[in-house]
Amino acid sequence: MSAASAPDRKGRSGALAGLVAGLSLVLVPASVWAADAVSPVAPAPTPPAAARAVVVPLPEPAEPAEPAAPAPPARIRLPALGVDAPVAPVGVDDRGRMDVPLDIATVGWYRFGPGPGATAGSAVLSGHVDDREQGYGAFHRLADLAPGDPVTVDLADGGAVAYRVETVTRFRKADLPVTDVFARTGQPRLTLVTCGGPFDYTARGYTENVVVVARPDAP
Amino acid sequence: MRLNHLARRTGFAVGGALALALVTAPAAVAQDTAAVYVVHGVPDTPVDVYVDGQRAIDDFQPGTEQGPVDLPAGSHKVDLFPADAADGSGTPVLSANADLPAGGSFTLVAHLDASGNPKITPFENDVSSVPAGQARLVVRHTAAAPAVDVLAGGKPVVQGLSNGDQKALEVPAGSVSAAVAAAGTTDPVIGPADVDLQEGTATFVHAIGKLDGGKLELVSFTVSDLHGSPSGVPSGAPSGAPAEGAPAWLLVSTVAGLAVVAVSASRLRSATRR
């Protein structure tokens, strides 16, 4: 017999089609997801040379008679991302890393460093990306900020400090320039930090940090 | 009588005479100088301090400290004369040669040894960077007293510290209830007192005086701006898994796809066999 009967051929091609469809259901989404998980690194929105440095080291300012520290930050607003989140002071964890509030809707301020509105140095705010149990964090879309976007930090005393985004940079976690991020000298700036890049299920964490540096808005 | 010499590292004000004496040194860069603090821990004996024959501190009172001043690196002769001495020409109460390496930080402590004789002990100050979130506490035994323990919150954190010894601790920044007790005991001979240890600072505490007659006290100073940076920012998923990791739709799709594959494969097999 040279060929299968008509019903047989039809059954086989139907089954073949099902096989292909089934496999594509399995493989295509997985590959899309995998690509999504690893692709976004591109450190590339190559900022102009002047803006490239995350932190510009500047000569230490002449020490004035200890200006009063500004009131602690209370909220951060990122209108470009629709974010308006509470800010809580944080210190370090038991491994010497900056603490980040467990509540991913709350942003942490490194209370041992300068505060927003300080006359020098980097005020550091950090927020979580997301969490399986809590959903999306306040800084989930931080990497979507673009130079020029406004950032406002409300202070506990009712004041506010306005900034504009200058740079958005990604670093492998091991390469985070912590002495720049947490600098206490140099021009005043706001540094927003969250995580990014692929999620490492073994280390149970993201492999990168997203760092946004904003400068005080010209008055 | 604190005047206007502002030390860059700490913002401490320093006695005017001392500042004057040091201005005569060339405006040296930090690498060529050493930062020097002085602590007076000999009871009942106000002194004038002479450095290399020049009066540096007039009427330095027991139980006080001064500094820092930047002295040119090298060897210096330090003489203490009674505060009412006319000049530095007589016989000093105490003398010491201080050999100061460039870039270092030191404290010269005039104090009583364990048996009550006055002496000068130089200590090197650990002013290296302090880990983020912490403060350094350095305790020095410079009193006429046997070995002591230092208690924090009632528990010994330094044990068996003897006259002339120092011990450094790095502790979480904040307020700590500190006391000094005879070694092996927890009954304070000094304190307890609340000590506020600010993040990124080093506080040098000297026990001075003598145990007999209950004339023990503490003299301390703090060096600021020794902050270390946090080692990283773990701003990922606090539960250890991301919201988007292996999302639900992927699982549904995979299960559905596998089911279709299985059904199709068996249909294919039966169709082929037929």
Side-chain angles (χ1 to χ4, degrees):
Chain A
M1 206 178 241
S2 66
S5 63
D8 273 356
R9 212 176 299 151
K10 209 162 154 192
R12 199 155 75 185
S13 64
L16 269 172
L19 198 61
V20 169
L23 280 172
S24 64
L25 263 179
V26 174
L27 298 177
V28 173
S31 64
V32 166
W33 172 70
D36 189 47
V38 288
S39 67
V41 178
T46 308
R52 181 188 310 245
V54 172
V55 164
V56 183
L58 289 168
E60 235 174 70
E63 198 154 70
E66 286 290 321
R75 295 194 78 81
I76 179 169
R77 287 179 277 144
L78 306 169
L81 306 181
V83 169
D84 181 350
V87 177
V90 297
V92 293
D93 66 14
D94 54 9
R95 291 165 59 183
R97 304 175 302 181
M98 178 182 172
D99 237 338
V100 182
L102 274 179
D103 169 17
I104 67 170
T106 299
V107 171
W109 163 57
Y110 185 61
R111 64 189 169 93
F112 297 132
T119 54
S122 168
V124 184
L125 302 185
S126 173
H128 283 295
V129 178
D130 62 1
D131 183 68
R132 174 167 289 173
E133 289 162 13
Q134 299 183 51
Y136 293 122
F139 280 0
H140 176 59
R141 290 178 54 214
L142 201 63
D144 294 343
L145 284 174
D149 282 347
V151 181
T152 303
V153 177
D154 296 336
L155 306 182
D157 64 359
V161 189
Y163 296 88
R164 294 233 173 239
V165 172
E166 187 170 89
T167 59
V168 180
T169 315
R170 313 184 77 132
F171 296 95
R172 276 200 296 271
K173 282 207 169 163
D175 299 336
L176 182 69
V178 290
T179 52
D180 290 342
V181 169
F182 293 96
R184 291 154 194 284
T185 55
Q187 288 188 350
R189 55 203 181 269
L190 179 70
T191 305
L192 312 178
V193 186
T194 191
C195 286
F199 196 87
D200 179 341
Y201 282 88
T202 309
R204 294 164 73 83
Y206 286 92
T207 51
E208 298 178 5
N209 280 122
V210 176
V211 177
V212 172
V213 176
R215 299 281 177 189
D217 216 352
Chain B
M1 50 166 276
R2 310 210 125 200
L3 297 186
N4 57 0
H5 176 100
L6 268 183
R8 202 168 50 91
R9 182 150 40 199
T10 67
F12 258 77
V14 169
L18 181 52
L20 273 183
L22 298 165
V23 167
T24 60
V29 287
Q31 294 309 358
D32 302 328
T33 63
V36 178
Y37 297 80
V38 286
V39 169
H40 190 346
V42 180
D44 309 323
T45 315
V47 296
D48 292 344
V49 180
Y50 286 73
V51 176
D52 298 331
Q54 281 196 300
R55 190 165 64 188
I57 306 177
D58 188 26
D59 205 18
F60 189 23
Q61 291 294 320
T64 66
E65 51 75 31
Q66 293 202 26
V69 292
D70 290 336
L71 284 180
S75 187
H76 297 279
K77 189 157 195 301
V78 178
D79 298 304
L80 306 188
F81 287 90
D84 54 5
D87 54 33
S89 63
T91 305
V93 178
L94 275 175
S95 287
N97 275 306
D99 199 10
L100 306 176
S105 176
F106 300 89
T107 303
L108 301 178
V109 185
H111 67 103
L112 300 178
D113 68 15
S115 44
N117 301 311
K119 66 183 291 193
I120 294 176
T121 301
F123 290 93
E124 183 162 9
N125 302 324
D126 181 356
V127 291
S128 60
S129 153
V130 179
Q134 303 204 352
R136 181 177 298 127
L137 176 64
V138 179
V139 290
R140 292 169 175 163
H141 186 332
T142 49
V148 297
D149 290 352
V150 177
L151 314 176
K155 298 212 169 64
V157 289
V158 173
Q159 292 178 290
L161 194 70
S162 298
N163 188 289
D165 288 349
Q166 65 175 339
K167 174 88 181 187
L169 304 169
E170 278 166 3
V171 298
S175 184
V176 60
S177 173
V180 177
T185 73
T186 53
D187 194 16
V189 293
I190 308 176
D194 285 340
V195 181
D196 185 26
L197 301 173
Q198 301 261 344
E199 196 264 354
T201 64
T203 298
F204 298 85
V205 182
H206 310 75
I208 60 156
K210 51 187 171 189
L211 184 59
D212 287 347
K215 293 177 91 172
L216 286 177
E217 58 181 312
L218 300 179
V219 176
S220 66
F221 62 87
T222 298
V223 179
S224 304
D225 286 340
L226 305 178
H227 308 279
S229 295
S231 58
V233 184
S235 46
S239 73
E244 294 182 37
W249 60 262
L250 175 66
L251 295 179
V252 169
S253 169
T254 302
V255 169
L258 285 174
V260 174
V261 167
V263 169
S264 303
S266 75
R267 278 183 62 203
L268 186 61
R269 192 178 308 129
S270 62
T272 311
R273 204 178 287 139
R274 212 176 296 164

